[in-house]
Amino acid sequence: EDQVTQSPEALRLQEGESSSLNCSYTVSGLRGLFWYRQDPGKGPEFLFTLYSAGEEKEKERLKATLTKKESFLHITAPKPEDSATYLCAVKAGGTSYGKLTFGQGTILTVHP
Amino acid sequence: DAGVIQSPRHEVTEMGQEVTLRCKPISGHDYLFWYRQTMMRGLELLIYFNNNVPIDDSGMPEDRFSAKMPNASFSTLKIQPSEPRDSAVYFCASSLQGSYSNQPQHFGDGTRLSIL
């Protein structure tokens, strides 16, 4: 069974204080690892897709990296508007094609 | 471009009543997903469709839940009879997958369901 574990559950940062969120996964035949951002009262918003170990993607203050067992979302010099829940999800191959398995998320709060 | 549209945004009803949630996917997308999100269990996949055909409904909690997709632009998730433990936020998502593409799922803003 595919499993995704995110840590920490919650992270409080001061504005400008860089940090990383972790996503550990167990999946049979990874087809892709996805990062989403979710604001209160909204649906998850797509950020990145990573396909293979060693791959990196960047968007503004966010950078996502991937190894064979985990992914990191690095946040550089965060601002209060980066406060949100960050979700990680994996897609496996085989008969579960199309299905995403999500982690529980990391709640990020950035204080001014 | 319009995103995934869900209605209603909020639903409050009494236990035992029938509840119908609606979803309009992004035009041209061939996959549609229904999820449920709670504090305890996070985001759980209930069922998904490919080209209007249900592919995997193993996440549907019990027979009280049913989902249909009569055409490419509309899907419903129905709960009958509803119970307090069904209270959650229900999300619909769609994606354009094709045979081997790996496009992301795009989510609606959800329906917050409260069963009293």
Side-chain angles (χ1 to χ4, degrees):
Chain A
E1 184 178 330
D2 303 335
Q3 288 191 330
V4 179
T5 303
Q6 292 188 244
S7 62
E9 290 185 9
L11 181 63
R12 300 169 70 91
L13 299 174
Q14 290 296 125
E15 184 172 3
E17 179 187 2
S18 302
S19 188
S20 297
L21 283 56
N22 177 262
C23 171
S24 298
Y25 63 90
T26 304
V27 64
S28 176
L30 180 72
R31 293 186 62 89
L33 185 142
F34 299 78
W35 281 98
Y36 284 83
R37 168 193 171 124
Q38 186 174 20
D39 292 302
K42 298 287 189 179
E45 175 187 350
F46 170 71
L47 292 173
F48 304 108
T49 307
L50 301 167
Y51 297 99
S52 57
E55 188 176 2
E56 298 183 353
K57 293 273 180 76
E58 286 190 64
K59 180 180 180 180
E60 296 181 357
R61 295 177 292 280
L62 300 177
K63 183 170 80 172
T65 61
L66 181 66
T67 72
K68 288 185 178 181
K69 294 183 178 181
E70 58 191 350
S71 176
F72 291 93
L73 184 65
H74 306 278
I75 303 176
T76 302
K79 298 181 178 181
E81 53 262 42
D82 294 322
S83 298
T85 297
Y86 290 86
L87 297 166
C88 167
V90 296
K91 179 189 288 190
T95 58
S96 62
Y97 183 83
K99 175 181 176 179
L100 288 182
T101 300
F102 279 85
Q104 290 283 81
T106 293
I107 302 171
L108 174 66
T109 305
V110 181
H111 296 282
Chain B
D1 289 341
V4 175
I5 299 172
Q6 293 187 245
S7 65
R9 288 298 316 278
H10 303 275
E11 176 85 14
V12 180
T13 192
E14 293 188 347
M15 182 176 64
Q17 296 298 305
E18 178 179 292
V19 173
T20 300
L21 311 181
R22 297 172 175 80
C23 175
K24 176 178 170 57
I26 293 173
S27 177
H29 281 191
D30 56 350
Y31 275 74
L32 183 139
F33 306 82
W34 282 101
Y35 290 87
R36 179 171 67 178
Q37 188 175 42
T38 62
M39 289 292 292
M40 289 296 295
R41 301 176 67 90
L43 199 58
E44 301 175 282
L45 178 65
L46 300 177
I47 184 171
Y48 73 95
F49 297 81
N50 177 216
N51 292 322
N52 312 337
V53 176
I55 302 300
D56 183 349
D57 65 354
S58 60
M60 297 285 261
E62 46 196 280
D63 291 346
R64 298 184 297 106
F65 286 70
S66 63
K68 294 182 179 180
M69 192 165 186
N71 57 62
S73 60
F74 183 67
S75 178
T76 59
L77 178 68
K78 187 173 293 187
I79 308 172
Q80 167 63 19
S82 58
E83 296 183 3
R85 60 195 169 115
D86 302 331
S87 297
V89 182
Y90 290 80
F91 288 102
C92 176
S94 70
S95 68
L96 177 62
Q97 297 287 339
S99 297
Y100 297 102
S101 69
N102 216 6
Q103 296 300 307
Q105 294 178 20
H106 297 274
F107 285 75
D109 282 336
T111 295
R112 182 172 295 275
L113 178 63
S114 297
I115 308 296
L116 306 178

